[in-house]
Amino acid sequence: MKFGLFSLVANHPDPLTGVTPTQHERLRRVIDEAISAEELGFDAYGVGERHGEPFLSSAPPVILAAVAERTARVRLLTTLTVISVLDPVRVAEDYATLDQLSGGRLELMIGKGNDPRHFPLFGLEEERQWEYQSEKFALLRRLFLEEGVNWEGEFRAPLADVTTRPRPFHPRPRIWHGSASSTESTELAAKFGDPLFTANGFHPKKKYADLIDHYRRRWVEYGHDPADALVGSGAGGLYVAKTSQAALDGYRPYFEALLQTPAYQHNKSEFTTLEDKIAHGSALVGSPEQVIDKIGDYHASFGHEVQAVSVDGLTSEEGRDVLELFASDVIPIVRKELPSRVWES
């Protein structure tokens, strides 16, 4: 198993003090967190894209460029790029530039986004979100992988013999598809033979397992070798402590604050208590042994080879403590037990 630390750069008030960091403080924390992730042995650091409160992640290429300059090894992921609202030409240019600056450490993750505020903000119709995603991704993929692109579609002007500059650092960069709720995304990933990353955040395991099963089934039906299908997974929270009770006590105020956020309410999670979320959801909250067992349990259903976690919502100090214990007591054991083909060099 490989491990990534992801952030949506949410800027919530501290649930214990009620103090909200300044925007400058919160954005600088991302850089510090990415440096820590590399120091602690994580394989990747990812920044998502959101356009609206409480998130400060409207410009992931800018944030990740800053991360690239302060790190040397960790892979850089976009978790995810909301391709449904963006111009594929601009996306190709921005991220190829970042890829070159980082020495080929970038991996795109695309999706239509799960925040309905995106669409009116960019003058788009929410009911056409899947159409936007399908067409814009197809163009982005060609621009990223090909030169001299000729293209005509519905949602932007035609292109004639276009080669975006700069080119990606590697000739065939990996592009992940983020999936949270619909087979539209798993279908697109299978069709193009690309890897899938399941959000695995708000609902019981079966919902996400069914989407992964759909991806693997359609992968084969599109003629791809089943052995080549690749899956990554997120988790609905992280809080590791020396004992299970310490983890419950430490995470409870953060979970109770999370229940009040628009994102949690929008995704209509059925978990209304922390105990229920831990027992029936993907939250990695407990002792190191409990967290190891839970990752293994989800791996048995998903077959994923990358595990992403996030400490968004925790204070900087508490987040660092949790990550240190996760890195020392969880990652080495899971890596040994669950091999991964991703990022082998």
Side-chain angles (χ1 to χ4, degrees), residues 190-206:
K191 176 181 177 180
F192 284 97
D194 294 329
L196 181 76
F197 216 106
T198 178
N200 190 36
F202 291 96
H203 305 287
K205 178 170 57 179
K206 186 178 186 305

Side-chain angles (χ1 to χ4, degrees), residues 73-111:
R73 175 194 57 79
V74 70
R75 305 287 174 137
L76 309 174
L77 271 72
T78 68
T79 57
L80 49 71
T81 296
V82 186
I83 190 62
S84 56
V85 302
L86 302 176
D87 178 4
V89 173
R90 180 77 265 179
V91 173
E93 292 173 338
D94 284 348
Y95 283 112
T97 301
L98 172 57
D99 197 29
Q100 289 288 347
L101 287 170
S102 69
R105 289 188 281 142
L106 171 74
E107 293 197 2
L108 275 173
M109 186 187 302
I110 66 94

Side-chain angles (χ1 to χ4, degrees), residues 25-321:
E25 290 170 339
R26 184 63 184 92
L27 285 166
R28 292 306 308 179
R29 177 182 168 185
V30 173
I31 311 304
D32 294 339
E33 193 175 84
I35 294 169
S36 294
E38 182 163 273
E39 292 172 346
L40 292 171
F42 281 81
D43 303 285
Y45 188 82
V47 174
E49 180 180 342
R50 289 289 190 277
H51 298 272
E53 293 182 339
F55 305 103
L56 304 179
S57 55
S58 58
V62 179
I63 299 174
L64 288 172
V67 169
E69 286 303 293
R70 297 293 305 278
T71 57
R73 175 194 57 79
V74 70
R75 305 287 174 137
L76 309 174
L77 271 72
T78 68
T79 57
L80 49 71
T81 296
V82 186
I83 190 62
S84 56
V85 302
L86 302 176
D87 178 4
V89 173
R90 180 77 265 179
V91 173
E93 292 173 338
D94 284 348
Y95 283 112
T97 301
L98 172 57
D99 197 29
Q100 289 288 347
L101 287 170
S102 69
R105 289 188 281 142
L106 171 74
E107 293 197 2
L108 275 173
M109 186 187 302
I110 66 94
K112 60 92 181 167
N114 72 344
D115 190 332
R117 297 176 296 175
H118 291 165
F119 300 100
L121 182 64
F122 287 90
L124 299 170
E125 304 169 51
E126 183 182 354
E127 60 270 20
R128 304 194 71 182
Q129 57 188 299
W130 297 112
E131 297 173 67
Y132 298 142
Q133 175 180 258
S134 180
E135 180 180 299
K136 292 183 177 189
F137 169 69
L139 175 56
L140 173 63
R141 196 174 196 277
R142 289 194 61 195
L143 291 169
F144 231 49
L145 302 181
E146 302 174 25
E147 299 185 9
V149 173
N150 295 297
W151 181 88
E152 186 171 344
E154 183 178 356
F155 301 119
R156 60 150 295 138
L159 300 176
D161 193 28
V162 168
T163 301
T164 54
R165 299 290 180 185
R167 305 302 301 147
F169 188 87
H170 297 295
R172 295 194 65 82
R174 181 184 284 126
I175 303 176
W176 298 79
H177 294 250
S179 168
S181 60
S182 171
T183 56
E184 298 279 354
S185 293
T186 54
E187 181 75 16
L188 200 63
K191 176 181 177 180
F192 284 97
D194 294 329
L196 181 76
F197 216 106
T198 178
N200 190 36
F202 291 96
H203 305 287
K205 178 170 57 179
K206 186 178 186 305
K207 178 181 179 67
Y208 301 107
D210 287 347
L211 289 169
I212 293 170
D213 288 346
H214 175 265
Y215 165 70
R216 294 187 188 278
R217 183 176 71 255
R218 294 295 288 151
W219 177 279
V220 172
E221 291 170 354
Y222 276 115
H224 307 303
D225 186 336
D228 292 336
L230 184 61
V231 175
S233 176
L238 175 70
Y239 200 103
V240 189
K242 287 296 185 180
T243 68
S244 58
Q245 190 60 53
L248 279 169
D249 293 343
Y251 192 65
R252 191 175 303 280
Y254 297 105
F255 174 75
E256 291 174 352
L258 178 67
L259 288 177
Q260 307 308 314
T261 62
Y264 202 87
Q265 295 169 7
H266 166 70
N267 282 280
K268 299 181 176 61
S269 175
E270 49 251 74
F271 305 129
T272 57
T273 69
L274 178 56
E275 286 76 10
D276 189 31
K277 184 176 176 68
I278 294 171
H280 302 108
S282 62
L284 300 174
V285 177
S287 67
E289 294 78 13
Q290 289 173 311
V291 170
I292 290 167
D293 288 345
K294 189 159 195 176
I295 293 173
D297 176 64
Y298 270 76
H299 178 267
S301 294
F302 293 176
H304 59 298
E305 299 183 41
V306 180
Q307 177 67 61
V309 297
S310 174
V311 289
D312 279 7
L314 305 188
T315 65
S316 179
E317 296 77 13
E318 200 158 12
R320 174 75 189 198
D321 291 344

